[in-house]
Amino acid sequence: MGRTPCCDRAAVKRGPWSPEEDEALRSYVQRHGSGGNWISMPKKAGLKRCGKSCRLRWLNYLRPDIRHGGFTDDEDAVILSLYTQLGSKWSVIASQLEGRTDNDVKNYWNTKLKKRLLAAAAGATTGDVAVSVRSLPPPVLRLPAAAAPATTAAATYASSLFPSLAIPTVKTETYTIDDFLAPAAFRDDDNPFAAAAAAADGSTTSASAASSAASTWSATDNGAAAGGGDGSSFLLDFCAGSSGLGGAAADDHLQLPGGYYYPLDPSLSLV
DNA sequence: AAGAATGTCAACCGCGTAAGA
DNA sequence: CTCTTACGCGGTTGACATTCT
């Protein structure tokens, strides 16, 4: 029992759009709008296309205010910042960038920005920290001015970073750069930071508090993924890294001017 | 020069959900 | 309230372009 198709696939054309089809769609939408019904629109416009296909073509390509390519540094910064906070909410991210579509932003992230981050991470984890700041994407995190999260203050510190710091929730295999940055743990029901902050009593680390308090963030998942095997190394690695403030780079982060840093955990397996 | 590998991006797929009957 | 329909979204695919060997 599959999902009912939105149109008769045998009767509609698929694949790349021809200039004639583009023109037909453009002129129809400019004259009449979509009519509030993309499903019936193709027929009215004389197109043998699925309504969804028409909608996509208009929104992602034919709209007059669309810009393609040539992402600026400012746009990079917005994308990274919002991705770090929201995850893959491409439509939301695109809405903050004039003339950009969710598809464009998504493609740009997957093909360019993510790779730049990986390259930066690889350079730092191999000790090659001579990577220029200009070549990096905008910083992911900004530390509090007086960050001093050793152990006792770790939980408070971790909660102060929330929601900027991204911690994977349930994982059994290797992490990707997406896991590294995407805030999968933002939902209250599986957010280890919220649990850590609540459980912190000054004698435990945020990681152990989080691990014990967040059922979906088990020691097994955490330890196995972090490679440390102690079940609490992941968050500790992040927190410990901040104690190296002032240095150009630590094992687990790359320090940048202005209090920014990239969290780089060499024990993570970036794939 | 040619084939392989990799990158890019337009388009498709199918799910979640809002709206209306 | 339930069901149907259409929209919007995120993930994925595949064709074409580019780079590498």
Side-chain angles (χ1 to χ4, degrees), chain A residues 22-235:
Chain A
D22 279 348
E23 187 48 40
L25 178 59
R26 182 186 289 111
S27 64
Y28 184 89
V29 175
Q30 285 178 343
R31 273 186 283 121
H32 306 100
S34 69
N37 188 339
W38 284 104
I39 300 300
S40 62
M41 193 274 274
K43 199 170 184 178
K44 295 175 187 170
L47 289 162
K48 290 183 169 59
R49 288 277 181 174
C50 172
K52 278 182 136 183
S53 179
C54 292
R55 173 184 165 274
L56 205 64
R57 184 65 178 173
W58 173 256
L59 292 177
N60 287 344
Y61 198 82
L62 296 177
R63 256 193 309 162
D65 57 341
I66 290 290
R67 288 186 297 139
H68 289 290
F71 280 81
T72 65
D73 289 348
D74 286 347
E75 287 176 312
D76 288 358
V78 170
I79 293 169
L80 260 168
S81 172
L82 291 178
Y83 185 89
T84 303
Q85 295 176 58
L86 303 171
S88 56
K89 299 293 182 188
W90 304 118
S91 62
V92 177
I93 296 171
S95 71
Q96 304 304 310
L97 300 169
E98 193 175 350
R100 300 297 187 187
T101 69
D102 54 351
N103 211 31
D104 253 1
V105 173
K106 178 172 58 180
N107 283 334
Y108 182 59
W109 171 263
N110 285 329
T111 60
K112 304 227 174 95
L113 275 184
K114 191 162 75 175
K115 287 173 186 174
R116 280 164 61 188
L117 274 178
L118 278 168
T125 55
T126 57
D128 175 19
V129 295
V131 55
S132 82
V133 172
R134 175 61 187 80
S135 72
L136 290 168
V140 175
L141 301 173
R142 182 172 181 129
L143 297 176
T151 52
T152 58
T156 304
Y157 171 67
S159 64
S160 77
L161 281 182
F162 180 82
S164 295
L165 189 55
I167 298 295
T169 50
V170 179
K171 270 283 187 180
T172 56
E173 297 176 358
T174 53
Y175 285 93
T176 68
I177 193 71
D178 280 340
D179 299 317
F180 215 38
L181 298 173
F186 281 3
R187 295 185 304 280
D188 288 343
D189 58 352
D190 62 3
N191 167 18
F193 284 123
D201 60 3
S203 63
T204 182
T205 66
S206 59
S208 61
S211 295
S212 61
S215 61
T216 56
W217 201 53
S218 72
T220 300
D221 291 336
N222 191 27
D230 61 4
S232 62
S233 61
F234 188 65
L235 182 51

